[in-house]
Amino acid sequence: MYLKNLLSTVTLLISLLSCSSNDVTDQNQAENPQSQESMYFPPLNSNDWETKSVSSLGWNQSKIPDLLNYLQTKNSKSFIILQNGRIVMENYFDSHTSSSVWYWASAGKTLTSTVTGIAEQEGFININHKVSDYIGNGWTSEPLTKENLITCKHLLTMTSGLDDALGDNVAPNNLQYKADAGTRWAYHNVYVKLQDVVSQATGKTWSEYFNTKLRDKIGMNGNWIQNGDNSVYWSNTRSMARFGLLALNNGNWNGSQIVNANYFNNATNTSQNINLSYGYLWWLNGKTSYHLPQSQLQFPRKLIPNAPDDMYCALGKNDQKIYVVPSKKLVIIRMGNAADNVNLALSDFDDILWQKINAVIN
């Protein structure tokens, strides 16, 4: 009898514990419906894109008008928020539409970074090899011993040592010695030489290789257009969001590894010890200091104080933005004219915009 009662008691306890565990699981799923949700990737060659509501995420819908008003008054053309790949907000301003194209400016540096990684994984280049291995000697005006110090990785990390005060022209006579490669961080248009490296190594034009290996594989539209000394990417806003989604997933698109995950991880973490907030042409938040373009000053704080520490971002002239936040599974896009004054990357707009975003999502 004692054994029978004991077995009954144990059975009851197991049943109660099981129910309790299920209740907790159900409660967690109810409070965080997105936690069990799979990552979504929009289909290629289609305008279809799954959406989700602000209310389903428990966000503060009453703060959205303030966010949209700020975007509009700050000369925005478009704004998208993806959560787990699905569109939560998609807004257009000033006659801009979902099919309108706009320039990425320096936010497109991250495209060059990514395609450089693809060329390396395919065995065409090694980023630790010197640039002249691929495009020959004399691509700068430096003495050969100094030019040979410059590797592809130095171009990726803005540490070429070339003089950044001479403008964006990358003809040899405009690429002059300032410091040994690796000893000085300076925002410089010379990174575009990576496009020449990839072209020479693969035997394809830059656009051909880019389109085949990246653009078409994730369903982007757009083209590279030469504008003076700069090659600038233009696309619609959803194409920028597609690239942001690839970045959120460490170079993976719906199960296909477009660029090596280790390379992408290196690209979105501190790449040198001078500007801690810079990877391989990506800007990084949450570090203890940063440098800005056209300055050798070190600012002892994180890049965008109101933004999540784990965020990495593509920042382009006149406030073209791709914000990627892995901890929240967010991709946020902003295209438009300069919010205030002309700027090359970071501006005061970033931090105030994140105040407005936080009011909605937190």
Side-chain angles (χ1 to χ4, degrees):
M1 178 64 70
Y2 172 78
L3 182 60
K4 183 177 180 181
N5 289 340
L6 180 61
L7 288 171
S8 298
T9 301
V10 170
T11 301
L12 178 61
L13 285 171
I14 291 173
S15 177
L16 289 171
L17 287 170
S18 177
C19 290
S20 175
S21 176
N22 289 338
D23 288 345
V24 169
T25 300
D26 291 343
Q27 181 181 355
N28 287 340
Q29 289 180 354
E31 292 175 352
N32 301 289
Q34 71 273 22
S35 64
Q36 302 299 316
E37 181 183 60
S38 62
M39 183 68 66
Y40 171 78
F41 296 87
L44 307 182
N45 305 312
S46 171
N47 289 324
D48 294 340
W49 200 313
E50 283 188 14
T51 63
K52 64 169 65 171
S53 67
V54 169
S55 60
S56 72
L57 292 166
W59 291 359
N60 190 341
Q61 195 147 3
S62 68
K63 297 296 184 180
I64 290 178
D66 184 46
L67 169 60
L68 295 180
N69 180 64
Y70 180 70
L71 287 162
Q72 186 161 24
T73 59
K74 291 298 182 178
N75 307 316
S76 300
K77 296 284 188 182
S78 57
F79 182 75
I80 289 179
I81 296 182
L82 307 181
Q83 201 285 327
N84 225 8
R86 294 163 180 84
I87 294 174
V88 184
M89 293 180 64
E90 183 176 25
N91 302 91
Y92 297 93
F93 313 91
D94 189 29
S95 75
H96 206 77
T97 70
S98 60
S99 59
S100 300
V101 297
W102 195 252
Y103 62 90
W104 289 42
S106 286
K109 286 180 169 65
T110 55
L111 297 172
T112 298
S113 170
T114 302
V115 173
T116 299
I118 294 171
E120 183 175 60
Q121 78 183 18
E122 293 194 332
F124 290 111
I125 68 172
N126 183 321
I127 65 169
N128 293 307
H129 289 178
K130 60 183 185 288
V131 175
S132 55
D133 283 348
Y134 304 100
I135 62 175
N137 296 328
W139 63 276
T140 74
S141 293
E142 294 191 331
L144 186 59
T145 54
K146 298 300 185 182
E147 182 180 279
N148 281 338
L149 296 176
I150 306 174
T151 67
C152 296
K153 189 173 181 180
H154 289 130
L155 300 189
L156 285 168
T157 60
M158 293 292 182
T159 56
S160 68
L162 292 161
D163 191 347
D164 56 307
L166 302 177
D168 289 338
N169 187 290
V170 293
N173 62 358
N174 211 51
L175 298 178
Q176 299 181 19
Y177 179 84
K178 184 75 173 180
D180 283 2
T183 65
R184 181 176 185 268
W185 187 91
Y187 202 72
H188 196 303
N189 196 45
V190 71
Y191 87 92
V192 299
K193 285 295 181 180
L194 287 167
Q195 298 180 4
D196 294 340
V197 166
V198 170
S199 180
Q200 288 295 319
T202 62
K204 305 285 187 181
T205 68
W206 168 253
S207 289
E208 286 173 341
Y209 193 74
F210 170 85
N211 292 348
T212 302
K213 299 299 181 177
L214 178 58
R215 186 192 72 173
D216 298 346
K217 286 194 172 184
I218 65 173
M220 292 171 62
N221 75 354
N223 291 286
W224 293 92
I225 297 175
Q226 194 68 31
N227 180 21
D229 295 322
N230 297 302
S231 179
V232 180
Y233 199 71
W234 290 71
S235 78
N236 63 24
T237 310
R238 282 192 173 191
S239 288
M240 189 180 255
R242 282 175 179 268
F243 179 68
L245 183 57
L246 178 75
L248 177 64
N249 288 278
N250 297 310
N252 188 287
W253 185 267
N254 201 21
S256 176
Q257 197 68 41
I258 305 300
V259 61
N260 181 280
N262 288 334
Y263 174 91
F264 197 83
N265 181 64
N266 290 334
T268 53
N269 279 283
T270 300
S271 58
Q272 28 61 52
N273 61 8
I274 307 169
N275 186 355
L276 302 182
S277 297
Y278 209 70
Y280 294 171
L281 306 179
W282 285 93
W283 291 92
L284 317 173
N285 204 37
K287 309 305 178 183
T288 55
S289 63
Y290 67 88
H291 288 244
L292 286 177
Q294 299 180 331
S295 170
Q296 288 298 300
L297 295 176
Q298 179 172 287
F299 297 88
R301 56 184 179 272
K302 67 179 183 177
L303 195 69
I304 304 174
N306 279 309
D309 282 355
D310 68 323
M311 183 182 77
Y312 44 92
C313 45
L315 304 177
K317 183 178 181 179
N318 297 334
D319 297 307
Q320 318 313 319
K321 314 289 184 186
I322 305 175
Y323 302 123
V324 181
V325 186
S327 61
K328 296 180 179 292
K329 300 181 180 179
L330 290 177
V331 173
I332 301 176
I333 307 297
R334 186 270 184 186
M335 285 180 148
N337 289 313
D340 295 298
N341 301 315
V342 173
N343 62 81
L344 295 180
L346 185 72
S347 73
D348 292 341
F349 172 72
D350 288 275
D351 204 42
I352 299 173
L353 178 58
W354 266 99
Q355 281 184 347
K356 306 292 185 183
I357 293 170
N358 284 335
V360 173
I361 69 175
N362 291 328

